Amino acid sequence: MNIHEHQAKELLKKYGANVPNGVFALTVKDILEKAKSLNSQKLVLKAQIHAGGRGKAGGVKILNDISELEKESNNLLGKKLITHQTGPSGKIVKRLYVEEPSDIDKEFYLSCLVDRGSSKIAFISSDQGGMDIEEVAKKNPNKINTIKVDFNKSISDLDCEKVIEIFDLKPDQSLEAMNIVKSIYKLFIDLDASMVEINPLILTKQGKIICLDAKINFDDNALFRHPEISALRDLNEEDPTEIEASKYDLSYIKLDGSIGCMVNGAGLAMATMDIIKLYGEEPANFLDVGGGASKEKVSEALKIIISDKNVKGILINIFGGIMKCDVLAQGVVDAAKEVKINVPLVVRLAGTNFEKGKDILDKSGLKIISATDLNSAAEKIVNEIK
Ligand code: GDP
Ligand code: MN
């Protein structure tokens, strides 16, 4: 789960990291009122969307004084921001954040995430902050420093020193930066975060180290332990079909392609997406209906796939293990009673109760193209939509 920048900064502050003073609001009237409490003539107005790259897209405005706030807020609220992270459809700005500005001397990059390969926590730091870190990684890989740290209650001073070494700071500034690393580490462990990214972390002209931007992702599987974090979820920022899918406990991720996929098991779902690409098309979604899915769940899954306007064909690829093929088949037939399936449907079933499943589909009157293996299934659906 993602949260907004202002929420991330609030959490960082609670854990002792320096962040600028700021206020957020959902309306222009509210932001004008709240901004009065800030202690500065100049202000920074920032669009709050779950995507980075706002600066370049006009989502970060530096204002000379509060008199500019009304006009700029009116401009920004409700505006569609298209950044390199939103995709071409962009994101509508529904909340605003106003901060006291900072005088930037240097911009750094600092992030922390789970490194599955080593079962450790990786800190990534760079003195090339403020810009697209993927670009830095490509062009100047030696400007990026990765330090792997053990899971523990706290991080050692030595590890903190290694993380901030690349910033090349004066001694008192180094201490401040180390404190921020400690705060991030503690927050990461305490709150079951999966990523904390500060880009940029800045050195101000006054010699202070401040988190100027902040992004935090949380491990969905641990959210039950943190109701206060779950409460920060902003459904406005999520894809409506993904919200619908999460109600039924389906692992669904919307993608941009044209072939809807319904699969059981994450590995098989990945393989199915790969093979669709191999035959020259793109998957419209990732969907794992799970091991012991009920026919209701299957039916909801199919309805979600059909509701995607980009879907030109559907591939159902089920390996019946715990999931039984007849349950799947009944789910498909039930969904078809409620919503019309007017795109080609290829079904490949194998495993438990395969015969029963095939029988249900054959007698359903639905126009189904059957396939016996994954290769021919992918080939068939790709040919159908040509
Ligand atoms: P992003 O583009 O979505 O990653 O948004 P950021 O919060 O990182 O802001 C983008 C850029 O705006 C930063 O890299 C800074 O260069 C600039 N910026 C943001 N806040 C301030 C500020 O308080 N003072 C100054 N001078 N620049 C700022
Ligand atoms: Mn940023």
Side-chain angles (χ1 to χ4, degrees):
M1 187 189 87
N2 288 336
I3 58 173
H4 286 289
E5 173 196 9
H6 74 89
Q7 297 167 325
K9 282 179 166 168
E10 193 68 36
L11 289 172
L12 283 163
K13 188 172 158 191
K14 217 163 125 189
Y15 277 84
N18 295 335
V19 297
N21 275 331
V23 291
F24 88 96
L26 303 172
T27 63
V28 174
K29 184 167 169 269
D30 228 19
I31 202 80
L32 290 172
E33 191 54 40
K34 286 185 174 176
K36 289 180 191 159
S37 69
L38 295 176
N39 209 356
S40 150
Q41 192 183 1
K42 275 195 172 185
L43 296 169
V44 185
L45 172 64
K46 305 182 82 173
Q48 298 295 289
I49 52 170
H50 283 187
R54 296 162 299 167
K56 281 186 191 145
V60 178
K61 300 269 185 210
I62 301 194
L63 314 177
N64 287 316
D65 65 72
I66 199 160
S67 69
E68 296 176 13
L69 185 58
E70 185 169 3
K71 183 168 155 257
E72 293 296 344
S73 299
N74 272 319
N75 276 344
L76 207 51
L77 202 64
K79 187 177 162 177
K80 184 191 274 183
L81 280 189
I82 302 175
T83 81
H84 67 277
Q85 286 186 8
T86 58
S89 52
K91 271 188 182 279
I92 306 281
V93 180
K94 295 194 172 128
R95 54 172 94 187
L96 299 173
Y97 190 47
V98 178
E99 273 185 347
E100 294 173 8
S102 308
D103 284 330
I104 304 177
D105 184 13
K106 287 185 182 145
E107 293 188 301
F108 308 122
Y109 176 92
L110 177 64
S111 70
C112 174
L113 41 94
V114 177
D115 183 61
R116 288 167 203 273
S118 61
S119 308
K120 290 186 184 218
I121 296 173
F123 271 92
I124 300 170
S125 49
S126 171
D127 59 350
Q128 308 284 303
M131 47 191 124
D132 197 353
I133 197 69
E134 284 82 9
E135 276 298 303
V136 182
K138 238 188 269 167
K139 290 187 182 144
N140 287 317
N142 59 328
K143 292 281 187 188
I144 293 186
N145 184 26
T146 305
I147 302 291
K148 291 178 185 167
V149 183
D150 286 328
F151 274 93
N152 241 323
K153 281 222 160 57
S154 61
I155 179 171
S156 71
D157 281 350
L158 184 65
D159 279 335
C160 289
E161 277 167 24
K162 288 190 207 155
V163 171
I164 65 151
E165 196 184 354
I166 199 164
F167 302 154
D168 195 22
L169 296 165
K170 296 196 182 120
D172 53 331
Q173 296 159 2
S174 289
L175 277 181
E176 251 187 77
M178 282 171 66
N179 271 331
I180 289 183
V181 173
K182 282 179 193 166
S183 301
I184 291 175
Y185 186 89
K186 180 126 182 34
L187 181 159
F188 193 91
I189 303 278
D190 278 5
L191 303 181
D192 292 305
S194 52
M195 187 185 70
V196 176
E197 186 184 58
I198 313 296
N199 188 22
L201 175 74
I202 59 161
L203 170 64
T204 67
K205 291 192 175 134
Q206 296 75 26
K208 278 183 76 80
I209 307 284
I210 294 178
C211 304
L212 200 64
D213 189 8
K215 178 176 178 174
I216 306 182
N217 292 347
F218 296 94
D219 181 346
D220 291 350
N221 293 315
L223 280 175
F224 73 96
R225 297 205 284 218
H226 309 286
E228 75 295 355
I229 299 296
S230 299
L232 301 178
R233 185 172 178 194
D234 182 359
L235 293 177
N236 278 320
E237 295 291 324
E238 296 179 24
D239 188 283
T241 49
E242 288 182 16
I243 297 170
E244 193 61 22
S246 71
K247 283 188 203 155
Y248 294 92
D249 204 20
L250 295 160
S251 306
Y252 172 91
I253 313 280
K254 181 166 165 21
L255 301 168
D256 295 328
S258 52
I259 298 192
C261 308
M262 178 148 78
V263 190
N264 65 323
L268 191 58
M270 297 298 275
T272 305
M273 289 159 61
D274 278 350
I275 206 157
I276 287 170
K277 278 173 166 289
L278 189 70
Y279 281 96
E281 274 298 335
E282 296 287 329
N285 63 278
F286 168 94
L287 173 62
D288 172 10
V289 289
S294 61
K295 64 183 189 341
E296 288 77 19
K297 212 165 146 179
V298 168
S299 169
E300 284 309 318
L302 192 56
K303 284 191 247 169
I304 288 168
I305 293 176
I306 292 166
S307 73
D308 179 352
K309 300 276 174 291
N310 293 338
V311 167
K312 289 197 226 137
I314 298 171
L315 171 53
I316 298 181
N317 182 23
I318 299 291
F319 185 81
I322 301 170
M323 166 113 217
K324 296 183 180 66
C325 292
D326 56 322
V327 174
L328 177 278
Q330 196 55 54
V332 171
V333 173
D334 290 351
K337 277 180 201 150
E338 286 181 51
V339 287
K340 206 166 155 21
I341 306 177
N342 44 17
V343 293
L345 175 63
V346 171
V347 179
R348 180 250 177 175
L349 293 179
T352 310
N353 292 359
F354 158 77
E355 292 296 345
K356 268 188 176 168
K358 192 169 179 320
D359 196 47
I360 292 171
L361 291 177
D362 287 347
K363 286 182 181 151
S364 68
L366 285 171
K367 193 172 165 281
I368 290 171
I369 304 153
S370 11
T372 49
D373 62 71
L374 185 44
N375 251 311
S376 65
E379 195 175 7
K380 280 180 178 168
I381 191 66
V382 169
N383 284 333
E384 278 298 319
I385 72 161
K386 263 184 189 158

